[in-house]
Amino acid sequence: MEKSKIVSFWKEIEQAKRIAIGGHIRPDGDCVGSCMGLYHYIREQFPEKQVQVYLGEFPDSFRLLEGVEQFIKPVKQQMEEAEEGQAWDLFVALDSSNLERLEFAPVFQKAVRTVCIDHHITNEGYAMMNLVFTSSSTAEAIYDVIQGRNEKGEERPVSKAAAEALYMGIVHDTGVFKHSCTTRHTMEVAGALMERGVDTSRMIDDTFYRKSYVQNQILGQALLNSVLWEQGSVISTAVFATDFEKYHAGKTDLDGIVDQLRITRGVEVAVFAYETEEDSFKFSMRSNSKVDVSTIAMQFGGGGHVRAAGCTISGTYEKGLQQLLEEIRKQL
Ligand code: 5GP
Ligand code: MN
């Protein structure tokens, strides 16, 4: 990332009195972590500014981040309040590769100035200023944006609250430092965050590995229903509306299912889907070493990374799955 872009970003922050930060729909750990990390840093450095974070419904485990509770509100209510209220001077969109995925797109569009900070190769450059990093996570990118504020190159320490949020973001998007997006720099950033006093074991266990009974049940059901294709190199499964009802589960209870599929011996591509509305499925794809799932997702209006991508396909699950399998086969 060019230094001048980071400098321009901080100029935007300095000029704005009222700043909104928001992420993508179905917020994951990196989305919530990067939003809260940037929030804390701006609050601490510019106490005179009004800063608000817009987040959709996210897993309960992320509530351990300091200050996040104040932003938990039904999306509809947040949208109405933003519609009635004054436009934000600046909206910083994080971890969202296009406007369709940005949860509070109307609020973003109403803002006077807009910036996007992201790490998706499929980023469409939809903001007035776009900082697209090649980092493991948006949280890692935010750490670098903060460090880039210092022209002398000395470390700019972040508070424990900001460090915890950024650490959580990195942990989630790297699958606890194991995905191929994890670099030496990722580990160095994580190391710097550890020094701020982050309880790393607690962050990893409580936000990543710990599952509720309901989450375990729905994971078990999804694994029981999984099917192998292409001599075992592809695995697929789905969660339907009836499963959500049966287990009293919601879409925030599905984290980790696709990753469990991916580590099945012999599997190159894992496909996981859940019903979003009648005859519409959100597909998640993961690959291990060969298949570029981001290009496949893009063909269906989605996006993501080479090894992790997603899209929504309308029609039955079987039909959507067959369409994806056809594209996967071409790359196997
Ligand atoms: P997940 O499968 O966990 O939902 O997403 C994996 C990756 O693909 C994430 O980086 C996410 O941002 C991206 N992704 C998932 N679904 C979509 C989508 O519908 N559109 C776009 N542009 N990206 C997606
Ligand atoms: Mn991310």
Side-chain angles (χ1 to χ4, degrees), residues 21-37 53-56 62 94-96 138-139 168-169 172-173:
I21 301 169
H24 58 77
I25 51 172
R26 293 181 287 269
D28 58 11
D30 185 34
C31 175
V32 177
S34 57
C35 285
M36 289 309 295
V53 180
Y54 286 96
L55 288 170
F62 301 167
L94 299 183
D95 201 33
S96 186
T138 302
M168 186 180 94
H172 280 251
D173 262 22

mmCIF file with all atom_site columns, all heavy atoms in Angstrom, residues 21-37 53-56 62 94-96 138-139 168-169 172-173:
data_model
loop_
_atom_site.group_PDB
_atom_site.id
_atom_site.type_symbol
_atom_site.label_atom_id
_atom_site.label_alt_id
_atom_site.label_comp_id
_atom_site.label_asym_id
_atom_site.label_entity_id
_atom_site.label_seq_id
_atom_site.pdbx_PDB_ins_code
_atom_site.Cartn_x
_atom_site.Cartn_y
_atom_site.Cartn_z
_atom_site.occupancy
_atom_site.B_iso_or_equiv
_atom_site.pdbx_formal_charge
_atom_site.auth_seq_id
_atom_site.auth_comp_id
_atom_site.auth_asym_id
_atom_site.auth_atom_id
_atom_site.pdbx_PDB_model_num
ATOM 1   N N   . ILE A 1 21  ? -18.397 4.086   10.783 1.00 0.00 ? 21  ILE A N   1
ATOM 2   C CA  . ILE A 1 21  ? -17.609 2.932   10.341 1.00 0.00 ? 21  ILE A CA  1
ATOM 3   C C   . ILE A 1 21  ? -18.598 1.780   10.166 1.00 0.00 ? 21  ILE A C   1
ATOM 4   O O   . ILE A 1 21  ? -19.456 1.572   11.020 1.00 0.00 ? 21  ILE A O   1
ATOM 5   C CB  . ILE A 1 21  ? -16.550 2.537   11.398 1.00 0.00 ? 21  ILE A CB  1
ATOM 6   C CG1 . ILE A 1 21  ? -15.599 3.718   11.675 1.00 0.00 ? 21  ILE A CG1 1
ATOM 7   C CG2 . ILE A 1 21  ? -15.755 1.305   10.947 1.00 0.00 ? 21  ILE A CG2 1
ATOM 8   C CD1 . ILE A 1 21  ? -14.697 3.498   12.892 1.00 0.00 ? 21  ILE A CD1 1
ATOM 9   N N   . GLY A 1 22  ? -18.495 1.054   9.058  1.00 0.00 ? 22  GLY A N   1
ATOM 10  C CA  . GLY A 1 22  ? -19.440 -0.051  8.852  1.00 0.00 ? 22  GLY A CA  1
ATOM 11  C C   . GLY A 1 22  ? -18.819 -1.177  8.060  1.00 0.00 ? 22  GLY A C   1
ATOM 12  O O   . GLY A 1 22  ? -17.845 -0.970  7.328  1.00 0.00 ? 22  GLY A O   1
ATOM 13  N N   . GLY A 1 23  ? -19.377 -2.361  8.199  1.00 0.00 ? 23  GLY A N   1
ATOM 14  C CA  . GLY A 1 23  ? -18.834 -3.542  7.516  1.00 0.00 ? 23  GLY A CA  1
ATOM 15  C C   . GLY A 1 23  ? -19.869 -4.238  6.663  1.00 0.00 ? 23  GLY A C   1
ATOM 16  O O   . GLY A 1 23  ? -20.915 -3.680  6.345  1.00 0.00 ? 23  GLY A O   1
ATOM 17  N N   . HIS A 1 24  ? -19.553 -5.479  6.318  1.00 0.00 ? 24  HIS A N   1
ATOM 18  C CA  . HIS A 1 24  ? -20.410 -6.222  5.371  1.00 0.00 ? 24  HIS A CA  1
ATOM 19  C C   . HIS A 1 24  ? -21.564 -6.950  6.059  1.00 0.00 ? 24  HIS A C   1
ATOM 20  O O   . HIS A 1 24  ? -21.587 -7.080  7.286  1.00 0.00 ? 24  HIS A O   1
ATOM 21  C CB  . HIS A 1 24  ? -19.572 -7.194  4.539  1.00 0.00 ? 24  HIS A CB  1
ATOM 22  C CG  . HIS A 1 24  ? -18.792 -8.202  5.348  1.00 0.00 ? 24  HIS A CG  1
ATOM 23  N ND1 . HIS A 1 24  ? -19.374 -9.301  5.926  1.00 0.00 ? 24  HIS A ND1 1
ATOM 24  C CD2 . HIS A 1 24  ? -17.477 -8.262  5.658  1.00 0.00 ? 24  HIS A CD2 1
ATOM 25  C CE1 . HIS A 1 24  ? -18.443 -10.003 6.539  1.00 0.00 ? 24  HIS A CE1 1
ATOM 26  N NE2 . HIS A 1 24  ? -17.279 -9.389  6.407  1.00 0.00 ? 24  HIS A NE2 1
ATOM 27  N N   . ILE A 1 25  ? -22.479 -7.414  5.255  1.00 0.00 ? 25  ILE A N   1
ATOM 28  C CA  . ILE A 1 25  ? -23.618 -8.172  5.764  1.00 0.00 ? 25  ILE A CA  1
ATOM 29  C C   . ILE A 1 25  ? -23.111 -9.463  6.407  1.00 0.00 ? 25  ILE A C   1
ATOM 30  O O   . ILE A 1 25  ? -22.044 -9.949  6.053  1.00 0.00 ? 25  ILE A O   1
ATOM 31  C CB  . ILE A 1 25  ? -24.650 -8.494  4.643  1.00 0.00 ? 25  ILE A CB  1
ATOM 32  C CG1 . ILE A 1 25  ? -23.955 -9.138  3.432  1.00 0.00 ? 25  ILE A CG1 1
ATOM 33  C CG2 . ILE A 1 25  ? -25.383 -7.233  4.201  1.00 0.00 ? 25  ILE A CG2 1
ATOM 34  C CD1 . ILE A 1 25  ? -24.918 -9.655  2.378  1.00 0.00 ? 25  ILE A CD1 1
ATOM 35  N N   . ARG A 1 26  ? -23.895 -10.014 7.331  1.00 0.00 ? 26  ARG A N   1
ATOM 36  C CA  . ARG A 1 26  ? -23.494 -11.181 8.103  1.00 0.00 ? 26  ARG A CA  1
ATOM 37  C C   . ARG A 1 26  ? -22.060 -10.995 8.616  1.00 0.00 ? 26  ARG A C   1
ATOM 38  O O   . ARG A 1 26  ? -21.147 -11.743 8.229  1.00 0.00 ? 26  ARG A O   1
ATOM 39  C CB  . ARG A 1 26  ? -23.601 -12.450 7.245  1.00 0.00 ? 26  ARG A CB  1
ATOM 40  C CG  . ARG A 1 26  ? -25.022 -12.818 6.869  1.00 0.00 ? 26  ARG A CG  1
ATOM 41  C CD  . ARG A 1 26  ? -25.080 -14.082 6.060  1.00 0.00 ? 26  ARG A CD  1
ATOM 42  N NE  . ARG A 1 26  ? -24.607 -13.892 4.695  1.00 0.00 ? 26  ARG A NE  1
ATOM 43  C CZ  . ARG A 1 26  ? -25.392 -13.565 3.666  1.00 0.00 ? 26  ARG A CZ  1
ATOM 44  N NH1 . ARG A 1 26  ? -26.687 -13.416 3.854  1.00 0.00 ? 26  ARG A NH1 1
ATOM 45  N NH2 . ARG A 1 26  ? -24.899 -13.407 2.460  1.00 0.00 ? 26  ARG A NH2 1
ATOM 46  N N   . PRO A 1 27  ? -21.852 -10.017 9.487  1.00 0.00 ? 27  PRO A N   1
ATOM 47  C CA  . PRO A 1 27  ? -20.491 -9.672  9.927  1.00 0.00 ? 27  PRO A CA  1
ATOM 48  C C   . PRO A 1 27  ? -19.756 -10.867 10.538 1.00 0.00 ? 27  PRO A C   1
ATOM 49  O O   . PRO A 1 27  ? -20.317 -11.581 11.370 1.00 0.00 ? 27  PRO A O   1
ATOM 50  C CB  . PRO A 1 27  ? -20.727 -8.612  11.000 1.00 0.00 ? 27  PRO A CB  1
ATOM 51  C CG  . PRO A 1 27  ? -22.123 -8.153  10.837 1.00 0.00 ? 27  PRO A CG  1
ATOM 52  C CD  . PRO A 1 27  ? -22.888 -9.242  10.183 1.00 0.00 ? 27  PRO A CD  1
ATOM 53  N N   . ASP A 1 28  ? -18.522 -11.074 10.102 1.00 0.00 ? 28  ASP A N   1
ATOM 54  C CA  . ASP A 1 28  ? -17.690 -12.135 10.678 1.00 0.00 ? 28  ASP A CA  1
ATOM 55  C C   . ASP A 1 28  ? -16.676 -11.506 11.641 1.00 0.00 ? 28  ASP A C   1
ATOM 56  O O   . ASP A 1 28  ? -16.735 -10.304 11.916 1.00 0.00 ? 28  ASP A O   1
ATOM 57  C CB  . ASP A 1 28  ? -17.008 -12.943 9.561  1.00 0.00 ? 28  ASP A CB  1
ATOM 58  C CG  . ASP A 1 28  ? -16.157 -12.069 8.651  1.00 0.00 ? 28  ASP A CG  1
ATOM 59  O OD1 . ASP A 1 28  ? -15.922 -10.886 8.993  1.00 0.00 ? 28  ASP A OD1 1
ATOM 60  O OD2 . ASP A 1 28  ? -15.724 -12.566 7.594  1.00 0.00 ? 28  ASP A OD2 1
ATOM 61  N N   . GLY A 1 29  ? -15.771 -12.319 12.134 1.00 0.00 ? 29  GLY A N   1
ATOM 62  C CA  . GLY A 1 29  ? -14.816 -11.838 13.128 1.00 0.00 ? 29  GLY A CA  1
ATOM 63  C C   . GLY A 1 29  ? -13.942 -10.705 12.613 1.00 0.00 ? 29  GLY A C   1
ATOM 64  O O   . GLY A 1 29  ? -13.642 -9.751  13.342 1.00 0.00 ? 29  GLY A O   1
ATOM 65  N N   . ASP A 1 30  ? -13.532 -10.794 11.353 1.00 0.00 ? 30  ASP A N   1
ATOM 66  C CA  . ASP A 1 30  ? -12.670 -9.743  10.801 1.00 0.00 ? 30  ASP A CA  1
ATOM 67  C C   . ASP A 1 30  ? -13.458 -8.449  10.624 1.00 0.00 ? 30  ASP A C   1
ATOM 68  O O   . ASP A 1 30  ? -12.940 -7.356  10.854 1.00 0.00 ? 30  ASP A O   1
ATOM 69  C CB  . ASP A 1 30  ? -12.087 -10.210 9.461  1.00 0.00 ? 30  ASP A CB  1
ATOM 70  C CG  . ASP A 1 30  ? -11.088 -9.215  8.901  1.00 0.00 ? 30  ASP A CG  1
ATOM 71  O OD1 . ASP A 1 30  ? -10.366 -8.574  9.699  1.00 0.00 ? 30  ASP A OD1 1
ATOM 72  O OD2 . ASP A 1 30  ? -11.026 -9.074  7.674  1.00 0.00 ? 30  ASP A OD2 1
ATOM 73  N N   . CYS A 1 31  ? -14.702 -8.577  10.226 1.00 0.00 ? 31  CYS A N   1
ATOM 74  C CA  . CYS A 1 31  ? -15.545 -7.398  10.022 1.00 0.00 ? 31  CYS A CA  1
ATOM 75  C C   . CYS A 1 31  ? -15.745 -6.663  11.350 1.00 0.00 ? 31  CYS A C   1
ATOM 76  O O   . CYS A 1 31  ? -15.460 -5.464  11.458 1.00 0.00 ? 31  CYS A O   1
ATOM 77  C CB  . CYS A 1 31  ? -16.888 -7.848  9.435  1.00 0.00 ? 31  CYS A CB  1
ATOM 78  S SG  . CYS A 1 31  ? -18.074 -6.534  9.270  1.00 0.00 ? 31  CYS A SG  1
ATOM 79  N N   . VAL A 1 32  ? -16.173 -7.389  12.362 1.00 0.00 ? 32  VAL A N   1
ATOM 80  C CA  . VAL A 1 32  ? -16.432 -6.763  13.671 1.00 0.00 ? 32  VAL A CA  1
ATOM 81  C C   . VAL A 1 32  ? -15.116 -6.306  14.308 1.00 0.00 ? 32  VAL A C   1
ATOM 82  O O   . VAL A 1 32  ? -15.025 -5.200  14.855 1.00 0.00 ? 32  VAL A O   1
ATOM 83  C CB  . VAL A 1 32  ? -17.195 -7.746  14.600 1.00 0.00 ? 32  VAL A CB  1
ATOM 84  C CG1 . VAL A 1 32  ? -17.396 -7.143  15.982 1.00 0.00 ? 32  VAL A CG1 1
ATOM 85  C CG2 . VAL A 1 32  ? -18.545 -8.120  13.985 1.00 0.00 ? 32  VAL A CG2 1
ATOM 86  N N   . GLY A 1 33  ? -14.076 -7.128  14.192 1.00 0.00 ? 33  GLY A N   1
ATOM 87  C CA  . GLY A 1 33  ? -12.780 -6.790  14.791 1.00 0.00 ? 33  GLY A CA  1
ATOM 88  C C   . GLY A 1 33  ? -12.148 -5.558  14.160 1.00 0.00 ? 33  GLY A C   1
ATOM 89  O O   . GLY A 1 33  ? -11.652 -4.673  14.864 1.00 0.00 ? 33  GLY A O   1
ATOM 90  N N   . SER A 1 34  ? -12.187 -5.478  12.830 1.00 0.00 ? 34  SER A N   1
ATOM 91  C CA  . SER A 1 34  ? -11.559 -4.315  12.182 1.00 0.00 ? 34  SER A CA  1
ATOM 92  C C   . SER A 1 34  ? -12.363 -3.045  12.456 1.00 0.00 ? 34  SER A C   1
ATOM 93  O O   . SER A 1 34  ? -11.786 -1.979  12.705 1.00 0.00 ? 34  SER A O   1
ATOM 94  C CB  . SER A 1 34  ? -11.384 -4.551  10.671 1.00 0.00 ? 34  SER A CB  1
ATOM 95  O OG  . SER A 1 34  ? -12.606 -4.834  10.049 1.00 0.00 ? 34  SER A OG  1
ATOM 96  N N   . CYS A 1 35  ? -13.690 -3.155  12.457 1.00 0.00 ? 35  CYS A N   1
ATOM 97  C CA  . CYS A 1 35  ? -14.525 -1.977  12.764 1.00 0.00 ? 35  CYS A CA  1
ATOM 98  C C   . CYS A 1 35  ? -14.243 -1.476  14.179 1.00 0.00 ? 35  CYS A C   1
ATOM 99  O O   . CYS A 1 35  ? -14.039 -0.277  14.398 1.00 0.00 ? 35  CYS A O   1
ATOM 100 C CB  . CYS A 1 35  ? -16.016 -2.310  12.636 1.00 0.00 ? 35  CYS A CB  1
ATOM 101 S SG  . CYS A 1 35  ? -16.605 -2.440  10.940 1.00 0.00 ? 35  CYS A SG  1
ATOM 102 N N   . MET A 1 36  ? -14.219 -2.394  15.139 1.00 0.00 ? 36  MET A N   1
ATOM 103 C CA  . MET A 1 36  ? -14.021 -1.971  16.529 1.00 0.00 ? 36  MET A CA  1
ATOM 104 C C   . MET A 1 36  ? -12.582 -1.503  16.784 1.00 0.00 ? 36  MET A C   1
ATOM 105 O O   . MET A 1 36  ? -12.352 -0.591  17.582 1.00 0.00 ? 36  MET A O   1
ATOM 106 C CB  . MET A 1 36  ? -14.397 -3.100  17.502 1.00 0.00 ? 36  MET A CB  1
ATOM 107 C CG  . MET A 1 36  ? -15.890 -3.378  17.572 1.00 0.00 ? 36  MET A CG  1
ATOM 108 S SD  . MET A 1 36  ? -16.905 -1.899  17.859 1.00 0.00 ? 36  MET A SD  1
ATOM 109 C CE  . MET A 1 36  ? -16.360 -1.416  19.507 1.00 0.00 ? 36  MET A CE  1
ATOM 110 N N   . GLY A 1 37  ? -11.621 -2.096  16.097 1.00 0.00 ? 37  GLY A N   1
ATOM 111 C CA  . GLY A 1 37  ? -10.233 -1.667  16.240 1.00 0.00 ? 37  GLY A CA  1
ATOM 112 C C   . GLY A 1 37  ? -10.056 -0.235  15.762 1.00 0.00 ? 37  GLY A C   1
ATOM 113 O O   . GLY A 1 37  ? -9.477  0.605   16.463 1.00 0.00 ? 37  GLY A O   1
ATOM 114 N N   . VAL A 1 53  ? -20.314 2.997   14.970 1.00 0.00 ? 53  VAL A N   1
ATOM 115 C CA  . VAL A 1 53  ? -20.095 1.779   14.180 1.00 0.00 ? 53  VAL A CA  1
ATOM 116 C C   . VAL A 1 53  ? -21.445 1.187   13.804 1.00 0.00 ? 53  VAL A C   1
ATOM 117 O O   . VAL A 1 53  ? -22.326 1.039   14.656 1.00 0.00 ? 53  VAL A O   1
ATOM 118 C CB  . VAL A 1 53  ? -19.253 0.750   14.964 1.00 0.00 ? 53  VAL A CB  1
ATOM 119 C CG1 . VAL A 1 53  ? -19.039 -0.511  14.140 1.00 0.00 ? 53  VAL A CG1 1
ATOM 120 C CG2 . VAL A 1 53  ? -17.915 1.353   15.367 1.00 0.00 ? 53  VAL A CG2 1
ATOM 121 N N   . TYR A 1 54  ? -21.608 0.876   12.529 1.00 0.00 ? 54  TYR A N   1
ATOM 122 C CA  . TYR A 1 54  ? -22.823 0.219   12.037 1.00 0.00 ? 54  TYR A CA  1
ATOM 123 C C   . TYR A 1 54  ? -22.516 -1.254  11.793 1.00 0.00 ? 54  TYR A C   1
ATOM 124 O O   . TYR A 1 54  ? -21.669 -1.581  10.971 1.00 0.00 ? 54  TYR A O   1
ATOM 125 C CB  . TYR A 1 54  ? -23.278 0.852   10.723 1.00 0.00 ? 54  TYR A CB  1
ATOM 126 C CG  . TYR A 1 54  ? -23.907 2.216   10.884 1.00 0.00 ? 54  TYR A CG  1
ATOM 127 C CD1 . TYR A 1 54  ? -23.165 3.382   10.719 1.00 0.00 ? 54  TYR A CD1 1
ATOM 128 C CD2 . TYR A 1 54  ? -25.263 2.320   11.195 1.00 0.00 ? 54  TYR A CD2 1
ATOM 129 C CE1 . TYR A 1 54  ? -23.751 4.623   10.863 1.00 0.00 ? 54  TYR A CE1 1
ATOM 130 C CE2 . TYR A 1 54  ? -25.850 3.567   11.352 1.00 0.00 ? 54  TYR A CE2 1
ATOM 131 C CZ  . TYR A 1 54  ? -25.094 4.717   11.180 1.00 0.00 ? 54  TYR A CZ  1
ATOM 132 O OH  . TYR A 1 54  ? -25.683 5.940   11.327 1.00 0.00 ? 54  TYR A OH  1
ATOM 133 N N   . LEU A 1 55  ? -23.227 -2.116  12.519 1.00 0.00 ? 55  LEU A N   1
ATOM 134 C CA  . LEU A 1 55  ? -23.007 -3.551  12.355 1.00 0.00 ? 55  LEU A CA  1
ATOM 135 C C   . LEU A 1 55  ? -24.331 -4.300  12.286 1.00 0.00 ? 55  LEU A C   1
ATOM 136 O O   . LEU A 1 55  ? -25.253 -3.995  13.036 1.00 0.00 ? 55  LEU A O   1
ATOM 137 C CB  . LEU A 1 55  ? -22.202 -4.101  13.539 1.00 0.00 ? 55  LEU A CB  1
ATOM 138 C CG  . LEU A 1 55  ? -20.710 -3.744  13.626 1.00 0.00 ? 55  LEU A CG  1
ATOM 139 C CD1 . LEU A 1 55  ? -20.150 -4.172  14.972 1.00 0.00 ? 55  LEU A CD1 1
ATOM 140 C CD2 . LEU A 1 55  ? -19.921 -4.377  12.486 1.00 0.00 ? 55  LEU A CD2 1
ATOM 141 N N   . GLY A 1 56  ? -24.388 -5.284  11.403 1.00 0.00 ? 56  GLY A N   1
ATOM 142 C CA  . GLY A 1 56  ? -25.543 -6.172  11.369 1.00 0.00 ? 56  GLY A CA  1
ATOM 143 C C   . GLY A 1 56  ? -25.428 -7.190  12.491 1.00 0.00 ? 56  GLY A C   1
ATOM 144 O O   . GLY A 1 56  ? -24.478 -7.158  13.278 1.00 0.00 ? 56  GLY A O   1
ATOM 145 N N   . PHE A 1 62  ? -18.702 -12.433 19.965 1.00 0.00 ? 62  PHE A N   1
ATOM 146 C CA  . PHE A 1 62  ? -17.924 -11.207 19.704 1.00 0.00 ? 62  PHE A CA  1
ATOM 147 C C   . PHE A 1 62  ? -18.235 -10.103 20.718 1.00 0.00 ? 62  PHE A C   1
ATOM 148 O O   . PHE A 1 62  ? -17.573 -9.067  20.743 1.00 0.00 ? 62  PHE A O   1
ATOM 149 C CB  . PHE A 1 62  ? -18.185 -10.664 18.291 1.00 0.00 ? 62  PHE A CB  1
ATOM 150 C CG  . PHE A 1 62  ? -17.857 -11.618 17.179 1.00 0.00 ? 62  PHE A CG  1
ATOM 151 C CD1 . PHE A 1 62  ? -18.298 -11.367 15.880 1.00 0.00 ? 62  PHE A CD1 1
ATOM 152 C CD2 . PHE A 1 62  ? -17.113 -12.761 17.410 1.00 0.00 ? 62  PHE A CD2 1
ATOM 153 C CE1 . PHE A 1 62  ? -18.008 -12.249 14.852 1.00 0.00 ? 62  PHE A CE1 1
ATOM 154 C CE2 . PHE A 1 62  ? -16.822 -13.647 16.379 1.00 0.00 ? 62  PHE A CE2 1
ATOM 155 C CZ  . PHE A 1 62  ? -17.271 -13.388 15.101 1.00 0.00 ? 62  PHE A CZ  1
ATOM 156 N N   . LEU A 1 94  ? -15.487 -1.114  5.838  1.00 0.00 ? 94  LEU A N   1
ATOM 157 C CA  . LEU A 1 94  ? -14.403 -2.069  6.063  1.00 0.00 ? 94  LEU A CA  1
ATOM 158 C C   . LEU A 1 94  ? -14.779 -3.483  5.646  1.00 0.00 ? 94  LEU A C   1
ATOM 159 O O   . LEU A 1 94  ? -15.912 -3.918  5.874  1.00 0.00 ? 94  LEU A O   1
ATOM 160 C CB  . LEU A 1 94  ? -14.021 -2.083  7.557  1.00 0.00 ? 94  LEU A CB  1
ATOM 161 C CG  . LEU A 1 94  ? -13.509 -0.769  8.154  1.00 0.00 ? 94  LEU A CG  1
ATOM 162 C CD1 . LEU A 1 94  ? -13.103 -0.987  9.605  1.00 0.00 ? 94  LEU A CD1 1
ATOM 163 C CD2 . LEU A 1 94  ? -12.342 -0.220  7.354  1.00 0.00 ? 94  LEU A CD2 1
ATOM 164 N N   . ASP A 1 95  ? -13.823 -4.180  5.032  1.00 0.00 ? 95  ASP A N   1
ATOM 165 C CA  . ASP A 1 95  ? -13.933 -5.624  4.769  1.00 0.00 ? 95  ASP A CA  1
ATOM 166 C C   . ASP A 1 95  ? -15.054 -5.969  3.789  1.00 0.00 ? 95  ASP A C   1
ATOM 167 O O   . ASP A 1 95  ? -15.495 -7.107  3.732  1.00 0.00 ? 95  ASP A O   1
ATOM 168 C CB  . ASP A 1 95  ? -14.142 -6.373  6.112  1.00 0.00 ? 95  ASP A CB  1
ATOM 169 C CG  . ASP A 1 95  ? -13.764 -7.849  6.026  1.00 0.00 ? 95  ASP A CG  1
ATOM 170 O OD1 . ASP A 1 95  ? -12.836 -8.180  5.282  1.00 0.00 ? 95  ASP A OD1 1
ATOM 171 O OD2 . ASP A 1 95  ? -14.432 -8.662  6.708  1.00 0.00 ? 95  ASP A OD2 1
ATOM 172 N N   . SER A 1 96  ? -15.510 -5.006  3.031  1.00 0.00 ? 96  SER A N   1
ATOM 173 C CA  . SER A 1 96  ? -16.625 -5.260  2.117  1.00 0.00 ? 96  SER A CA  1
ATOM 174 C C   . SER A 1 96  ? -16.188 -4.934  0.692  1.00 0.00 ? 96  SER A C   1
ATOM 175 O O   . SER A 1 96  ? -15.786 -3.809  0.411  1.00 0.00 ? 96  SER A O   1
ATOM 176 C CB  . SER A 1 96  ? -17.814 -4.384  2.514  1.00 0.00 ? 96  SER A CB  1
ATOM 177 O OG  . SER A 1 96  ? -18.920 -4.723  1.726  1.00 0.00 ? 96  SER A OG  1
ATOM 178 N N   . THR A 1 138 ? -8.750  -7.594  7.075  1.00 0.00 ? 138 THR A N   1
ATOM 179 C CA  . THR A 1 138 ? -8.886  -6.137  7.135  1.00 0.00 ? 138 THR A CA  1
ATOM 180 C C   . THR A 1 138 ? -8.280  -5.634  8.449  1.00 0.00 ? 138 THR A C   1
ATOM 181 O O   . THR A 1 138 ? -7.720  -4.546  8.503  1.00 0.00 ? 138 THR A O   1
ATOM 182 C CB  . THR A 1 138 ? -10.358 -5.722  6.998  1.00 0.00 ? 138 THR A CB  1
ATOM 183 O OG1 . THR A 1 138 ? -10.844 -6.239  5.755  1.00 0.00 ? 138 THR A OG1 1
ATOM 184 C CG2 . THR A 1 138 ? -10.519 -4.210  6.994  1.00 0.00 ? 138 THR A CG2 1
ATOM 185 N N   . ALA A 1 139 ? -8.367  -6.448  9.498  1.00 0.00 ? 139 ALA A N   1
ATOM 186 C CA  . ALA A 1 139 ? -7.791  -6.047  10.788 1.00 0.00 ? 139 ALA A CA  1
ATOM 187 C C   . ALA A 1 139 ? -6.282  -5.805  10.666 1.00 0.00 ? 139 ALA A C   1
ATOM 188 O O   . ALA A 1 139 ? -5.758  -4.830  11.202 1.00 0.00 ? 139 ALA A O   1
ATOM 189 C CB  . ALA A 1 139 ? -8.090  -7.114  11.839 1.00 0.00 ? 139 ALA A CB  1
ATOM 190 N N   . MET A 1 168 ? -8.608  -10.250 17.185 1.00 0.00 ? 168 MET A N   1
ATOM 191 C CA  . MET A 1 168 ? -9.733  -11.141 16.873 1.00 0.00 ? 168 MET A CA  1
ATOM 192 C C   . MET A 1 168 ? -9.963  -11.210 15.361 1.00 0.00 ? 168 MET A C   1
ATOM 193 O O   . MET A 1 168 ? -10.196 -12.281 14.798 1.00 0.00 ? 168 MET A O   1
ATOM 194 C CB  . MET A 1 168 ? -11.013 -10.668 17.577 1.00 0.00 ? 168 MET A CB  1
ATOM 195 C CG  . MET A 1 168 ? -12.161 -11.655 17.393 1.00 0.00 ? 168 MET A CG  1
ATOM 196 S SD  . MET A 1 168 ? -13.685 -11.134 18.199 1.00 0.00 ? 168 MET A SD  1
ATOM 197 C CE  . MET A 1 168 ? -14.497 -10.307 16.826 1.00 0.00 ? 168 MET A CE  1
ATOM 198 N N   . GLY A 1 169 ? -9.881  -10.067 14.699 1.00 0.00 ? 169 GLY A N   1
ATOM 199 C CA  . GLY A 1 169 ? -10.070 -10.034 13.245 1.00 0.00 ? 169 GLY A CA  1
ATOM 200 C C   . GLY A 1 169 ? -9.058  -10.901 12.529 1.00 0.00 ? 169 GLY A C   1
ATOM 201 O O   . GLY A 1 169 ? -9.408  -11.691 11.638 1.00 0.00 ? 169 GLY A O   1
ATOM 202 N N   . HIS A 1 172 ? -9.662  -14.691 13.111 1.00 0.00 ? 172 HIS A N   1
ATOM 203 C CA  . HIS A 1 172 ? -10.786 -15.252 12.368 1.00 0.00 ? 172 HIS A CA  1
ATOM 204 C C   . HIS A 1 172 ? -10.489 -15.413 10.881 1.00 0.00 ? 172 HIS A C   1
ATOM 205 O O   . HIS A 1 172 ? -10.815 -16.437 10.294 1.00 0.00 ? 172 HIS A O   1
ATOM 206 C CB  . HIS A 1 172 ? -12.050 -14.423 12.599 1.00 0.00 ? 172 HIS A CB  1
ATOM 207 C CG  . HIS A 1 172 ? -12.694 -14.769 13.896 1.00 0.00 ? 172 HIS A CG  1
ATOM 208 N ND1 . HIS A 1 172 ? -13.876 -15.464 13.986 1.00 0.00 ? 172 HIS A ND1 1
ATOM 209 C CD2 . HIS A 1 172 ? -12.278 -14.563 15.174 1.00 0.00 ? 172 HIS A CD2 1
ATOM 210 C CE1 . HIS A 1 172 ? -14.161 -15.664 15.254 1.00 0.00 ? 172 HIS A CE1 1
ATOM 211 N NE2 . HIS A 1 172 ? -13.222 -15.112 16.003 1.00 0.00 ? 172 HIS A NE2 1
ATOM 212 N N   . ASP A 1 173 ? -9.890  -14.401 10.256 1.00 0.00 ? 173 ASP A N   1
ATOM 213 C CA  . ASP A 1 173 ? -9.657  -14.522 8.815  1.00 0.00 ? 173 ASP A CA  1
ATOM 214 C C   . ASP A 1 173 ? -8.490  -15.440 8.461  1.00 0.00 ? 173 ASP A C   1
ATOM 215 O O   . ASP A 1 173 ? -8.389  -15.899 7.330  1.00 0.00 ? 173 ASP A O   1
ATOM 216 C CB  . ASP A 1 173 ? -9.472  -13.139 8.171  1.00 0.00 ? 173 ASP A CB  1
ATOM 217 C CG  . ASP A 1 173 ? -10.772 -12.656 7.539  1.00 0.00 ? 173 ASP A CG  1
ATOM 218 O OD1 . ASP A 1 173 ? -11.845 -13.146 7.957  1.00 0.00 ? 173 ASP A OD1 1
ATOM 219 O OD2 . ASP A 1 173 ? -10.726 -11.802 6.624  1.00 0.00 ? 173 ASP A OD2 1
#
